[in-house]
Amino acid sequence: MSDLVIPLMIGFLFAVGLYLMLRQSLIKLIFGLVLVGNATNLLVFTASRLVSGGTPIVRKGDKVLQTPFPDPLGQALILTAIVISFGTLAFVMVLIKRAYDYFGTDDVCALIEPEEEEIA
Amino acid sequence: MFAVAARFLSPLFLLISVLLLMRGHNEPGGGFAGGLVAAAALAMQMLAFGKEEMLRALRVDPRALAGFGLVVSLLSAFSSLLAGKPFFTGLWWVWESPLGVAKLGTPMLFDLGVYFVVIGIAVSLIDDLEGE
Amino acid sequence: MIVLSVLVIPLSTAAILMALWTHPEVRRVIALLGSVLHLGAAGFLLQAVVDRGPISFAVGSWPAPFGIEFRADFLGASMALVTALVGLIINLYTTNDLDEPRRRFGFHPLVFVLLAGLSGAFTTNDLFNLFVWFECILLSSFVLLSLGGERQQIRGGINYVVPNLFSSMLFLAGLGLIYGATGTLNMDHLGMRTGLVEPGLMTAISALFLTAFGLKAALFPFFGWLPTSYHTPPFAVSALFAGLLTKVGVFALIRFFTKVWPDPSVAITGLLLWLSMGGLVVAGLAAMRQTTLRRALGYLLVSHIGFLTGGLALGSPTALAMVNLYMAHHMIVICGLYLVAGLIASTAGSESLKSAGGLVKTHPLLAWLLGLGFLALAGIPPLSGFAPKVGLIVEAFRLNQPVLVAGMLLSSLFTIFCLAKLWMIYAWRPQPGDTQGSQPDRLRILATTLLCACMIGLSLALGPVATWASAAQTTEGRP
């Protein structure tokens, strides 16, 4: 069941995120980035196989891991990615707020540079 | 009302953050999560009493705190060199007492550094977003 | 251990600089000291790699492929050396001259984090670790770009950060898929396993990586963010970015298509070839009608990326060695030109071409530096750009890729045309009357001159460097 649901969800998140990113609003741009980021994390999570099982830590007294266990590496990757995207998005938010302070609008078109004159 | 709640909740948050930091090696938690909770406590202080009060409660410049944390983390990485092991190898001191076994290691020091970095960065970001 | 020193030194310097937030005078000295140490370590590393071949290091004693492995080969070590060199020059350039808010907001720590990220990316042998270094580079560069918060910079910052953030996400998605398909992230280990994966799946995954790294490398058609952001920050930051940032994208592409997937399918190499061709021509054309030196340089930079990716698409050892040479040359030259542009703008009081002119008479030293940079960028014979350019074109001929040959020749033509036009405006046109510029700081001139001296140095040392690069391409087999 989850074999189908999660990929569909990932696709849906990507679609919504991209749609929001392509809107003309800086705030929606951030939301779009967040959603695409989450979709990516889910993708990594699914790509490292979905297994339900215990924590992959060898318990006291055991010599080997008790199967089934999920692959910890995929989750470690996502954890790192989440931390990083958290930091980056925080900075992007500061930047967008500055942009709002300057331009007084969250319209992306305000970012288009005025055309400059030709050189002699 | 919020100010009263913040006065009681902030210390609690800080306690939880330290708890998260300490249990982080084998259980959920760690420097990052702990640092975020501590930053949340400071954010609450700011919402309740204003930015100046929050920065005063922190006592040090948040950016310098982040730098200090980075230095601590790097020290933990370097300390394995002194023991003649490759860079970043974890070192552990085990201390057995009647009360139980205490383990202290360089990964702990690393987490402590991360804790400070996260607090420092998060607070300076909050500072930036709030600033006007 | 020596492998790690190139990234530990800048990282430690950044940490110390941040901790010493309140002591600007001490920090100035530490920044220079850290840079010198970094350059020394990078030089030492390259020397060791030339002597002994690639050097590996397993972090925290976890053996590869389980732990993170760092592995410096000639390509990585040479890039790390140029990175350290550019870092030192930028630090020297900004020692006296940075305005106060930028200093307070931590310009120097960020530069060192950026240098550490670059050195890490150039020496790591783990695909996920590469992602982490990329993020490190992205974060520090994007804060550097928008530091100071002028209107222009906010614009440039958003133009820069959104595509780059998106590229990171594509990179991560690719990482997840390739890990799912092969079960490993060590690049050499991946190289052994990607051949076993179904080629269609690998093509799809590598298309993700091509887009992700192509965005970072400003590959056609993903280059729009570069010319709209690189002219906005202070010149030192522009120079730093132009010299180093896009090259790390190209470097990642090279790593992916030589190490991770050593024999890419024809579909991908063909695509890369045409994209390189597009960049060479389109950006070359766009460069000719820019209104400031910095903007023109931005487009020329994009155009020249086509040489690098085109060489990668050819894929032969000779082509890769030439790409290595051209990359080192280009990093130094483009950075130098941005610095010279900064000096010229400060003497003229404005960046606009309207206030440019008369350089030969008023500032002969600057005219010399500009001329030298232009000649090197255009690839005029005694200077270092010529040999790798010709080498790439000859190799494209040999491998029967007339499209690429045409693109490279056209790009060279556009470059010469554009630079000749700029030279006539800057050097030979009489100086327009009303300029309110000031004499630039001596340290800045010294830094720029040093970098130009390095250009000449590289030209003189091109023979042995080329020999090492080719030797590295033929002998550095996969374990």
Side-chain angles (χ1 to χ4, degrees), chain C residues 64-120:
Chain C
F66 305 108
I68 294 168
E69 188 198 13
F70 282 82
R71 187 178 168 85
D73 54 7
F74 183 78
L75 176 64
S78 56
M79 293 300 108
L81 178 63
V82 180
T83 303
L85 173 69
V86 170
L88 175 62
I89 296 291
I90 296 291
N91 268 316
L92 200 59
Y93 191 89
T94 52
T95 297
N96 277 341
D97 148 83
L98 224 53
D99 45 308
E100 201 40 46
R102 210 165 263 123
R103 201 181 273 289
R104 206 181 57 219
F105 275 94
F107 174 85
H108 281 120
L110 284 165
V111 169
F112 277 101
V113 173
L114 182 66
L115 292 177
L118 286 160
S119 310

Side-chain angles (χ1 to χ4, degrees), chain A residues 29 33 36 40-41 43-44 47 49 71 73 77 81 84 88 91 95 98-99 102 111 113 116-119, chain C residues 128 135 139 142-143 146 149 154-155 157-158 162 165 169 172-173 176 179-180 231 289-291 295 353-354:
Chain A
L29 183 70
L33 281 173
V36 172
T40 314
N41 289 337
L43 178 70
V44 178
R49 309 275 185 284
D71 182 359
L73 188 63
L77 301 189
I84 292 172
T88 324
F91 276 107
L95 189 68
R98 290 267 166 81
Y102 271 116
L111 295 178
E113 255 176 290
E116 283 182 37
E117 73 280 32
E118 279 283 320
I119 3 167
Chain C
F128 189 76
E135 293 298 288
L139 255 181
F142 140 58
V143 180
S146 44
I154 301 291
R155 249 190 211 132
I158 293 178
V162 174
L165 204 54
M169 287 164 187
L172 186 64
Y179 177 66
H231 65 278
R289 68 166 296 270
Q290 295 308 310
T291 48
R295 284 166 197 259
L353 285 188
K354 275 185 190 154

Side-chain angles (χ1 to χ4, degrees), chain A:
Chain A
M1 185 56 199
S2 68
D3 280 5
L4 197 62
V5 171
I6 292 192
L8 281 178
M9 195 159 75
I10 295 170
F12 181 71
L13 279 175
F14 265 119
V16 174
L18 283 175
Y19 174 76
L20 284 175
M21 279 174 73
L22 294 174
R23 304 287 312 199
Q24 273 191 14
S25 149
L26 287 174
I27 289 296
K28 285 177 186 152
L29 183 70
I30 292 196
F31 285 131
L33 281 173
V34 172
L35 287 181
V36 172
N38 285 348
T40 314
N41 289 337
L42 266 177
L43 178 70
V44 178
F45 181 60
T46 340
S48 63
R49 309 275 185 284
L50 294 174
V51 182
S52 53
T55 42
I57 291 178
V58 183
R59 298 276 147 207
K60 256 185 200 149
D62 286 358
K63 283 269 153 53
V64 288
L65 270 178
Q66 285 181 347
T67 45
F69 63 90
D71 182 359
L73 188 63
Q75 298 180 17
L77 301 189
I78 300 170
L79 190 61
T80 317
I82 289 175
V83 170
I84 292 172
S85 66
F86 164 81
T88 324
L89 280 170
F91 276 107
V92 175
M93 232 136 90
V94 174
L95 189 68
I96 299 237
K97 183 170 172 288
R98 290 267 166 81
Y100 181 74
D101 290 346
Y102 271 116
F103 302 112
T105 164
D106 81 331
D107 191 349
V108 176
C109 292
L111 295 178
I112 300 173
E113 255 176 290
E115 190 73 16
E116 283 182 37
E117 73 280 32
E118 279 283 320
I119 3 167

Side-chain angles (χ1 to χ4, degrees), chain C residues 311-321 395 398-399 473:
Chain C
L312 172 62
L314 293 175
S316 69
T318 320
L320 290 173
E395 191 65 9
R398 193 178 70 78
L399 296 170
Q473 283 303 331

